[in-house]
Amino acid sequence: MISGFNHRDLYRQMANSYELVFLSMAALGLVLAAALRWQLNRPASPTVELQRALDNGEFEPFLQPVVRSDGLGWQGAEALMRWRHPRDGLIRPDLFIPRAEDCGMIVPMTRQMMRQLARTLGRSRLPPQFHLGINITAAHLRDDVLLGDCRQFLAHFPPGGLNLVLELTEREMVEPTPEACARLARLRELGVKIAIDDFGTGHSSLVYLQQLPLDGIKIDKSFTASIGADAPSSHIVDSVAELAHKLKLEIVAEGVETEAQRAYLTRLDVGWLQGYLFARPMPLREFLLRPELDAARAAASDADAAP
């Protein structure tokens, strides 16, 4: 004789007998699912996350044009790093550059960006003596690879075809040690120019002028914005320009947004201008397709053809 439950009775019997077990299993499953979700969404440490992004090539160069105050078209640019995150999209540099500097990742990130720039710009027809600014920090001056990186970078261009300008940032003080000065001197022997970025905003700008071998300074956008304003800082631009001329340093003014600022800086004989008046930072390939670059090439050709 065979006896047993049909399926419906079996499920009812199990539900009545093991109700507590099923509820415990369901609760445990919910807890495990929540823990897994938290673990997957938990941000990694800054170093780990930046290293992951570096390995995946998520940092890319954007270019913002730099123009001559007395010229036409885009005769130069500043290279600015951007992070194209796979989940969060384009991340502003102020949200990751300080972290990269703090955890020691800024040097390999900059080296990777320089390789990207060299490969692409080296195959492009740039205006002659194109001005290209790249930010470096104090950590770069303590790293022996900087000289080799710049030598390899310039090897992608014909002699004199590009003016590489390393802009020293002041988020971390550059110690003007004999070793740092010697490294800067060797860079200048390669044809690399050295400039102070955001001049006047750090605590050591005047010390740099006294103790470092320099070729130029960059006027911070906060001072450019004060042009025409009735404020004490409005006179800083005049003083900085006068000082730079006496020291025979090139000047770049960033943050130029109005024609009035452009005219004022031109009267001060500030040689290079940068800001939203000309263009915002843009991806490298977009920059190379802009007609303003063609205008700079045409202006250079006309100047060469003139008697």
Side-chain angles (χ1 to χ4, degrees):
M1 180 177 178
I2 299 174
S3 64
F5 294 103
N6 59 38
H7 287 164
R8 182 177 302 175
D9 293 338
L10 177 62
Y11 294 149
R12 186 182 300 112
Q13 178 66 24
M14 291 179 63
N16 291 335
S17 302
Y18 302 104
E19 179 179 5
L20 184 59
V21 174
F22 289 150
L23 290 176
S24 299
M25 292 176 63
L28 180 61
L30 290 174
V31 171
L32 291 175
L36 179 61
R37 182 181 179 86
W38 175 82
Q39 180 67 27
L40 291 175
N41 291 332
R42 185 171 64 92
S45 70
T47 304
V48 171
E49 180 66 3
L50 290 172
Q51 184 64 58
R52 182 202 61 76
L54 182 67
D55 294 340
N56 293 336
E58 295 173 12
F59 301 111
E60 62 180 83
F62 273 44
L63 293 186
Q64 185 174 24
V66 177
V67 306
R68 290 189 183 277
S69 57
D70 59 352
L72 297 172
W74 294 352
Q75 298 95 351
E78 180 185 4
L80 302 164
M81 190 181 298
R82 296 293 185 266
W83 183 0
R84 199 173 293 279
H85 196 280
R87 183 183 67 243
D88 301 331
L90 205 61
I91 298 178
R92 301 198 319 267
D94 59 301
L95 297 180
F96 70 90
I97 292 294
R99 286 196 304 169
E101 293 177 352
D102 292 341
C103 66
M105 289 294 297
I106 192 62
V107 172
M109 288 162 57
T110 303
R111 296 184 70 199
Q112 185 184 80
M113 187 182 74
M114 290 180 67
R115 290 192 292 268
Q116 291 176 290
L117 288 166
R119 286 194 300 267
T120 303
L121 295 180
R123 298 192 299 265
S124 305
R125 194 167 63 90
L126 297 173
Q129 296 185 333
F130 188 81
H131 170 113
L132 181 67
I134 297 178
N135 290 329
I136 64 169
T137 65
H140 291 88
L141 290 184
R142 296 191 295 266
D143 199 314
D144 291 332
V145 303
L146 179 60
L147 193 67
D149 288 342
C150 290
R151 186 181 291 111
Q152 292 176 14
F153 185 93
L154 293 173
H156 287 79
F157 303 90
L162 179 137
N163 288 328
L164 176 60
V165 183
L166 300 182
E167 300 177 0
L168 295 171
T169 63
E170 292 196 79
R171 283 185 289 266
E172 180 184 358
M173 184 175 178
V174 176
E175 293 288 345
T177 62
E179 293 78 12
C181 292
R183 187 165 289 132
L184 290 176
R186 290 197 297 270
L187 286 168
R188 296 176 79 197
E189 290 173 359
L190 284 178
V192 178
K193 295 183 177 181
I194 310 298
I196 301 177
D197 191 26
D198 300 333
F199 182 82
T201 60
H203 57 276
S204 54
S205 295
L206 294 178
V207 174
Y208 292 168
L209 291 183
Q210 289 179 308
Q211 301 184 26
L212 295 179
L214 299 171
D215 300 284
I217 60 175
K218 195 165 192 179
I219 299 175
D220 185 67
K221 60 186 177 181
S222 62
F223 300 134
T224 303
S226 69
I227 292 175
D230 186 16
S233 59
S234 63
H235 303 292
I236 292 179
V237 175
D238 304 57
S239 301
V240 171
E242 181 181 1
L243 177 62
H245 291 320
K246 289 181 177 179
L247 296 175
K248 295 181 172 55
L249 299 175
E250 287 190 343
I251 314 172
V252 179
E254 63 179 359
V256 181
E257 299 186 0
T258 68
E259 285 292 348
Q261 292 170 348
R262 177 179 186 172
Y264 189 90
L265 291 164
T266 301
R267 287 196 299 270
L268 291 177
D269 198 23
V270 173
W272 295 92
L273 308 176
Q274 177 183 351
Y276 289 174
L277 178 64
F278 311 106
R280 293 174 178 268
M282 65 193 72
L284 174 57
R285 297 191 182 278
E286 179 183 337
F287 178 91
L288 294 174
L289 295 174
R290 291 290 294 265
E292 293 88 346
L293 203 59
D294 294 328
R297 286 191 288 259
S301 298
D302 292 343
D304 292 339

